[in-house]
Amino acid sequence: MKPDHRQTLTIAGAGLAGALLAALLARAGWQVEVFEKRADPREVGYEGGRSINLALAERGLHALRQAGLHDAVLAQAVMMRGRMVHFADGRTALQRYGKDDSEAIWSVHRGRLNLLLLDAAQAAGAKLHFHARLDHVDFDAQRARFIDDRDGSRREHAFDMLIGADGAGSALRGAMHAVAPLGERFESLGHGYKELEIPPATDGGFRIEANALHIWPRGRYMCIALPNTERTFTVTLFLPQHAGQGAPGFDALPDATSARTLFEYDFADALANIPGFDADWSAHPVGQLATLYLDRWHLDGRAVLLGDAAHAMVPFHGQGMNCAFEDCVALARHIDDADDFAAAFAAFEAERLPNARAIQQMALENYLEMRDRVDDADYLLQRDLERLLAIRHPERFVPRYSMVSFRRVPYATALARGRVQRELLIEATRGCLRIEDVDLAAADAMAMARLEPLEELPLPGETFQSTTG
Ligand code: FAD
Ligand code: E0Q
């Protein structure tokens, strides 16, 4: 479709996905209006609530490139070359994410990224409305009601179509569900998270390695830390909600003193760098983690969901935002390609829903891998062989982590090829203790026989260009 000035695209939610989508669609020439329940963060400062920083990888970077924001975002990001694993005995080891610095991920500040996206959306011509919480939708009359939570005042808005970028608790999803069930299923992980801060060192520098994602795996739970440009780190503790089977849980840590005892035992080297531990613990809430599955994401041409509103996932692959950004590019492309909105939304759902399912599953799998396996001997041997095969067969054997983080092949492809590769690694390392024990010729033969070259697979929408951008 060519942009039609008699039609307005109305977006609910000006978070990460809503703001980027508004920028992309406005740049393509569409009239866009965005309604956000919170205050304008550019006026009141960012009132976050959820994770302070996020890992940005190639999928997200590619989407930002489409909006002309790649360089501006990277200028405010800290490179993370790999995972710095802090073992229980105090040793540390850096596990590189990629082959060199061209394959790294980036720690970005959620609030600053959101500000940049809002500015870009506005500069491209999108109209932004704050203090406007989507509350009720009449799909027959095509009218939506928004509430200003400061005083409870209401405003009505006539829409042509609604796009739900209003996050995991999406009000649009609820309204769509009332008209035609979406097959909604929430699966709680049973684990929550809490954030703490490592401030700069007394000399103003970073207290621990700056260019890494730190991880303290402890079997059934773990801590991670991501660097900030301010030379601080945001630490996140992931822990079962309920204590049991010898493992601690948030319910058994009623106060900072009991939490401190856990940290003294399990995360002593982290605790030594968190001088505000007690205050952080008391002030920060425990966040919930869940996966949201839907069977449908759209209501003919009148409404569609994307990002967390459509497919919230657990954060252990660092892909929720990256996937949401990829959704934005895909939706803009389908709107460009299709003859009407119903066809665009249907094509978007058909392309993205299976891929959302795949990354949701990989994110769940990564929790087990991160908290329990990164210091396991079998796992380390398989990673060694994986690295070797990736060098020997660069076009065929691409580690699953790399397919997810450094490539843009569909997530479903990464999941399927990852399965084949994992089987291969298990078979080729069976009975081996060291990489020298592995029969490389046999591993090579398996790679050749079981894996087609990856680059021959087409990428979705490689040809999409926004009309004016
Ligand atoms: P949101 O960012 O939640 O934005 C939704 C917006 O809608 C908000 O501004 C909200 O105020 C607004 N809104 C809500 N309801 C209404 C309403 N009724 N009316 C109007 N506006 C409304 N992802 C990564 O890629 N990398 C990471 O490293 C990473 N780490 C994470 C760590 C944690 C602990 C968590 C919880 C998540 C992490 N994620 C990460 C996932 C990422 O935060 C989400 O996937 C991403 O924020 C989704 O963006 P969104 O725009 O869909 O939703
Ligand atoms: C990344 C980057 C919250 C979070 C975010 C992440 C990652 C992890 C563990 C977590 C996965 C990884 N990872 O290191 O394999 O790559 O974003 Cl817990």
Side-chain angles (χ1 to χ4, degrees):
M1 278 176 283
K2 289 282 142 276
D4 174 346
H5 283 272
R6 290 158 306 179
Q7 284 198 310
T8 299
L9 284 79
T10 302
I11 301 175
L16 297 177
L20 177 62
L21 182 66
L24 290 171
L25 292 172
R27 280 167 66 102
W30 290 96
Q31 292 199 112
V32 180
E33 290 205 50
V34 192
F35 293 85
E36 164 61 47
K37 71 173 173 185
R38 291 177 302 179
D40 186 344
R42 295 166 300 179
E43 286 165 15
V44 302
Y46 191 76
E47 42 176 90
R50 288 201 308 154
S51 74
I52 294 109
N53 54 24
L54 303 133
L56 176 64
E58 175 55 25
R59 291 168 200 270
L61 278 172
H62 182 75
L64 292 168
R65 223 171 263 136
Q66 310 296 299
L69 294 170
H70 173 274
D71 293 355
V73 172
L74 280 195
Q76 306 186 359
V78 183
M79 183 196 256
M80 298 187 289
R81 293 193 170 93
R83 221 178 270 137
M84 184 71 82
V85 183
H86 298 247
F87 299 101
D89 64 6
R91 283 179 307 122
T92 60
L94 181 71
Q95 302 176 347
R96 261 188 179 277
Y97 282 132
K99 55 182 189 308
D100 54 43
D101 280 0
S102 71
E103 292 185 337
I105 58 174
W106 302 85
S107 179
V108 294
H109 185 271
R110 182 191 290 273
R112 274 198 299 266
L113 176 58
N114 207 167
L115 295 186
L116 217 125
L117 293 168
L118 289 171
D119 280 339
Q122 192 157 51
K127 273 195 210 131
L128 309 180
H129 308 277
F130 294 93
H131 298 294
R133 174 170 59 82
L134 179 66
D135 173 56
H136 185 263
V137 183
D138 181 336
F139 285 104
D140 293 326
Q142 293 187 248
R143 296 187 71 79
R145 183 171 71 211
F146 294 93
I147 295 196
D148 181 337
D149 285 320
R150 289 169 302 183
D151 56 9
S153 61
R154 305 161 159 210
R155 61 185 287 186
E156 293 273 331
H157 171 75
F159 65 85
D160 297 305
M161 78 289 307
L162 286 174
I163 302 175
D166 48 350
S170 174
L172 179 56
R173 189 176 70 232
M176 289 163 70
H177 187 74
V179 177
L182 302 173
E184 174 177 313
R185 193 157 54 89
F186 260 103
E187 261 173 34
S188 165
L189 183 65
H191 292 226
Y193 70 94
K194 193 184 277 271
E195 290 168 334
L196 306 158
E197 194 193 64
I198 297 179
T202 41
D203 70 1
F206 286 98
R207 286 188 189 233
I208 53 179
E209 168 59 40
N211 297 112
L213 186 155
H214 294 264
I215 173 157
W216 289 260
R218 294 298 180 262
R220 274 183 279 178
Y221 50 99
M222 66 181 192
C223 269
I224 62 162
L226 271 70
N228 295 303
T229 50
E230 293 81 0
R231 297 171 193 271
T232 61
F233 291 84
T234 305
V235 178
T236 309
L237 167 67
F238 294 99
L239 190 73
Q241 219 86 55
H242 305 288
Q245 297 152 329
F250 278 112
D251 66 349
L253 302 172
D255 51 32
T257 312
S258 52
R260 183 179 273 283
T261 306
L262 171 73
F263 271 71
E264 278 164 356
Y265 186 76
D266 272 320
F267 306 111
D269 60 334
L271 181 63
N273 288 315
I274 312 176
F277 183 87
D278 291 19
D280 282 356
W281 188 274
S282 309
H284 300 166
V286 175
Q288 307 295 316
L289 300 170
T291 307
L292 163 70
Y293 303 98
L294 300 179
D295 294 333
R296 277 170 294 284
W297 289 357
H298 77 107
L299 177 65
D300 47 62
R302 288 176 290 176
V304 67
L305 303 170
L306 84 173
D308 278 14
H311 52 64
M313 65 190 75
V314 296
F316 306 109
H317 218 307
Q319 285 289 317
M321 162 188 63
N322 287 283
C323 179
F325 281 180
E326 205 172 48
D327 285 351
C328 293
V329 174
L331 182 58
R333 168 168 42 82
H334 285 297
I335 289 173
D336 198 50
D337 287 350
D339 293 329
D340 57 49
F341 286 99
F345 297 170
F348 167 74
E349 179 191 299
E351 177 190 332
R352 295 298 296 168
L353 198 145
N355 288 307
R357 291 274 166 101
I359 186 58
Q360 287 178 313
Q361 184 181 333
M362 292 190 280
L364 281 164
E365 289 172 7
N366 223 39
Y367 188 27
L368 265 178
E369 183 163 328
M370 289 305 102
R371 70 188 208 218
D372 199 32
R373 297 212 57 216
V374 287
D375 53 354
D376 168 303
D378 285 352
Y379 175 83
L380 293 173
L381 178 57
Q382 287 168 26
R383 290 289 79 78
D384 283 347
L385 179 58
E386 180 173 68
R387 250 195 315 278
L388 216 57
L389 290 176
I391 294 167
R392 293 164 78 88
H393 307 277
E395 66 299 328
R396 278 172 211 271
F397 200 111
V398 181
R400 186 172 97 173
Y401 183 88
S402 301
M403 287 190 279
V404 169
S405 301
F406 306 130
R407 307 288 183 104
R408 290 182 289 112
V409 296
Y411 286 122
T413 304
L415 178 64
R417 292 179 68 105
R419 278 198 195 108
V420 174
Q421 293 177 167
R422 192 185 47 205
E423 277 308 308
L424 190 164
L425 292 172
I426 291 171
E427 277 178 51
T429 57
R430 192 163 285 142
C432 303
L433 290 174
R434 300 162 311 153
I435 190 75
E436 294 77 20
D437 303 338
V438 174
D439 180 347
L440 272 184
D444 284 342
M446 285 192 257
M448 294 302 288
R450 299 183 195 177
L451 294 161
E452 292 297 316
L454 183 60
E455 300 307 335
E456 286 172 16
L457 299 167
L459 279 175
E462 205 45 334
T463 57
F464 169 70
Q465 291 287 325
S466 73
T467 42
T468 55

